[in-house]
Amino acid sequence: NAGVTQTPKFRILKIGQSMTLQCTQDMNHNYMYWYRQDPGMGLKLIYYSVGAGITDKGEVPNGYNVSRSTTEDFPLRLELAAPSQTSVYFCASSLTGTARREKLFFGSGTQLSVL
Amino acid sequence: EDQVTQSPEALRLQEGESSSLNCSYTVSGLRGLFWYRQDPGKGPEFLFTLYSAGEEKEKERLKATLTKKESFLHITAPKPEDSATYLCAVGTPGTYKYIFGTGTRLKVLA
């Protein structure tokens, strides 16, 4: 199993450009999440999904969009990139929302700079 | 407001010098408290889940404990390879979301 795979690992964008961060998991997990991590700050939830076709906003959704057409994939779209979106982005997945069985599996992250 | 606070922000230990990391939380109800380890340039890696006050979990030199208001991650006789950032998170009831603390950066010197 590859686990959770994120691409790209690094990206530099100019202000106003758009891009998609890719995330795929091969563990048949139904729950998937996108977090951003800024220096000295905790992980902040951007969007999450409880299954194919179902997504919902987290704490910091502005400037981002997601879709979940399959169980495996959960791409994050940045429209009109802004310097405030400079961050490290992590995708995560979990087998179930039931607390006694859940744990998050994280990808290795995408470091994004918007200049 | 639901909140997770970790202390200290950073900790330097000599190899073999035991210590504890703290995670305090204020949530309306606890759907599990989670500890993760994060190495530089990598995603967090799961360590433990605790569900109720009094519960304890152990793994090698690490032991996690839980009370009604906080959790401790005890590190016994640490080694340099234990150097990492340790993150605490709580699951909030009625949702599938987690609130993360800002982490404790641990450095163990040989």
Side-chain angles (χ1 to χ4, degrees), chain A residues 54-103:
Chain A
I54 306 170
T55 63
D56 205 350
K57 296 177 181 179
E59 301 170 79
V60 290
N62 291 343
Y64 308 94
N65 276 300
V66 294
S67 60
R68 184 102 181 265
S69 56
T70 67
T71 299
E72 295 79 18
D73 299 309
F74 190 40
L76 178 71
R77 178 81 177 164
L78 279 71
E79 305 281 0
L80 299 175
S84 61
Q85 293 178 305
T86 294
S87 188
V88 180
Y89 291 83
F90 288 100
C91 179
S93 71
S94 176
L95 176 61
T96 175
T98 303
R100 292 189 173 268
R101 294 184 61 193
E102 69 190 287
K103 61 181 179 182

Side-chain angles (χ1 to χ4, degrees), chain A residues 29-36 42-50 57-60 91-106, chain B residues 2-4 25-27 29-36 44 46 48-51 87-102:
Chain A
H29 286 172
N30 45 355
Y31 293 83
M32 296 190 73
Y33 304 80
W34 274 106
Y35 290 92
R36 60 177 287 172
L43 291 160
K44 299 295 184 184
L45 182 64
I46 305 171
Y47 271 96
Y48 68 101
S49 169
V50 301
K57 296 177 181 179
E59 301 170 79
V60 290
C91 179
S93 71
S94 176
L95 176 61
T96 175
T98 303
R100 292 189 173 268
R101 294 184 61 193
E102 69 190 287
K103 61 181 179 182
L104 291 172
F105 293 80
F106 284 86
Chain B
D2 296 335
Q3 198 167 350
V4 176
Y25 59 91
T26 54
V27 293
L30 187 66
R31 187 179 61 86
L33 185 138
F34 305 83
W35 282 98
Y36 291 86
F46 174 80
F48 303 110
T49 309
L50 302 165
Y51 300 108
L87 298 171
C88 169
V90 298
T92 54
T95 77
Y96 305 108
K97 296 186 264 191
Y98 307 87
I99 302 171
F100 279 83
T102 54

